[in-house]
Amino acid sequence: MVENEKKRRRKASGPSTESAEQRDRRREYKRRWRAENADKIAQQKRVWRENNLEHDRERNRTYMRERAAEARTAETRRQQKAEQARARYHADVEASRARAKELAARRREADPEKYRDDKRRYNKAWREHRREEINARLRERNRLDPSQKAAAGPPVL
């Protein structure tokens, strides 16, 4: 397949009409011209390289600006979504509280004695379930700061 590709390319470019002597003369001319103009060629290559570097730097700056803008947009969008979620949550909580108040008012109107008994039972169960937590808070509240104890000195009897 490689041979066929080479043949196809040779046919596409057409038969060579120059002789070996002409090819050698052309190669020699190119070699001489490149030797005579080496400094111009080097200068041109430096200019191209500098232009390419500047172009690459500019492209990179543009890319980084775009990335920063995308990041800012994403952060703003994330904050907006979080704010919307908080707003929905608070709206749901408020609706739930309002509904609970309505139901409690209906139960209280329907049978005030049963409502009070249920409420007492619920509060007692809640305190029993969280007894350790409540006692720990009370102990923490009543505890003195150790530095205050040291400054006060021994208790006076």
Side-chain angles (χ1 to χ4, degrees):
M1 184 156 168
V2 175
E3 287 296 318
N4 291 340
E5 184 65 22
K6 285 181 182 177
K7 285 180 186 177
R8 189 187 64 74
R9 285 187 181 169
R10 251 188 251 129
K11 286 181 181 177
S13 65
S16 178
T17 56
E18 63 182 5
S19 65
E21 186 179 299
Q22 287 173 324
R23 277 195 305 268
D24 290 343
R25 272 198 312 255
R26 188 166 36 85
R27 284 183 190 139
E28 181 59 27
Y29 173 78
K30 282 182 179 179
R31 188 189 60 73
R32 254 185 289 122
W33 187 88
R34 286 181 184 137
E36 291 169 2
N37 297 295
D39 55 337
K40 288 181 184 176
I41 293 170
Q43 175 62 26
Q44 189 61 44
K45 283 184 178 179
R46 276 194 297 276
V47 169
W48 285 342
R49 194 175 307 116
E50 288 169 9
N51 287 343
N52 286 343
L53 281 173
E54 185 53 38
H55 179 69
D56 288 346
R57 285 187 193 114
E58 181 57 34
R59 192 170 43 204
N60 190 32
R61 281 191 290 267
T62 304
Y63 173 75
M64 294 308 281
R65 269 190 237 110
E66 289 171 357
R67 289 291 302 269
E70 287 173 7
R72 282 193 303 273
T73 304
E75 180 61 23
T76 304
R77 190 176 299 123
R78 190 190 62 74
Q79 289 174 352
Q80 286 173 347
K81 281 185 173 184
E83 183 60 37
Q84 290 169 353
R86 280 191 293 274
R88 279 194 310 271
Y89 170 77
H90 290 304
D92 290 347
V93 166
E94 288 303 317
S96 176
R97 286 180 184 157
R99 179 79 176 136
K101 282 182 182 181
E102 287 176 18
L103 292 176
R106 282 189 205 157
R107 285 179 45 229
R108 191 170 38 246
E109 289 171 6
D111 189 358
E113 281 298 316
K114 183 176 182 307
Y115 175 79
R116 272 194 294 275
D117 289 342
D118 287 346
K119 189 159 182 152
R120 274 191 212 108
R121 208 173 326 113
Y122 171 79
N123 287 341
K124 184 177 179 184
W126 186 89
R127 281 192 301 275
E128 189 63 37
H129 181 70
R130 291 177 175 79
R131 181 176 302 285
E132 290 300 319
E133 181 183 336
I134 293 168
N135 287 339
R137 282 187 187 164
L138 289 172
R139 280 193 302 272
E140 188 64 33
R141 188 184 305 161
N142 293 332
R143 183 183 307 155
L144 281 176
D145 186 23
S147 61
Q148 290 176 345
K149 284 183 184 178
V156 178
L157 298 175

